[in-house]
Amino acid sequence: MLRRDPGAGWEGIVVEETGLSVQVNGTWIRILADGSVSREADGDTTYLEADGAVLKKTKFAEAMVSGDGVELTRRTDTTIAAIRHDGVIAKSRDAAQISSE
């Protein structure tokens, strides 16, 4: 691990067999050997997978876009929604909130 005083540039670099991590102003960027990249800051993480898919996780929601852009999903504590090649779904994750109509 390489470190330097906090400031306008990088604060730490970690080189491992599986990849490389760089910390810049409190944000960690990780590049793995398979080409995937992640960014972690303030409890939120964004992943760019090797196949091009993007996943975003926050304390409020989780969202995903497939690498080809065909599928999109979003999950929260109360709802789930998805757009897929075969249709669209949006529903409550709480059975008490599902309408009986």
Side-chain angles (χ1 to χ4, degrees):
M1 172 171 256
L2 298 174
R3 290 196 182 275
R4 70 184 227 186
D5 293 334
W10 60 270
E11 298 165 23
I13 298 175
V14 179
V15 179
E16 301 172 307
E17 286 186 28
T18 57
L20 169 74
S21 300
V22 179
Q23 186 179 30
V24 179
N25 296 326
T27 298
W28 277 101
I29 307 294
R30 291 182 178 84
I31 304 169
L32 299 181
D34 67 357
S36 60
V37 178
S38 67
R39 176 188 183 276
E40 185 176 342
D42 301 323
D44 294 351
T45 305
T46 304
Y47 301 93
L48 173 59
E49 298 295 333
D51 67 356
V54 177
L55 175 65
K56 176 75 175 181
K57 292 183 178 184
T58 72
K59 61 183 174 182
F60 304 108
E62 187 175 298
M64 187 277 301
V65 178
S66 64
D68 59 6
V70 173
E71 296 187 13
L72 307 155
T73 63
R74 179 190 50 88
R75 290 188 290 183
T76 67
D77 289 343
T78 59
T79 62
I80 185 167
I83 300 172
R84 299 183 35 151
H85 69 281
D86 57 351
V88 176
I89 184 171
K91 68 181 232 174
S92 172
R93 294 179 78 180
D94 181 358
Q97 293 181 9
I98 297 175
S99 173
S100 60
E101 296 177 18

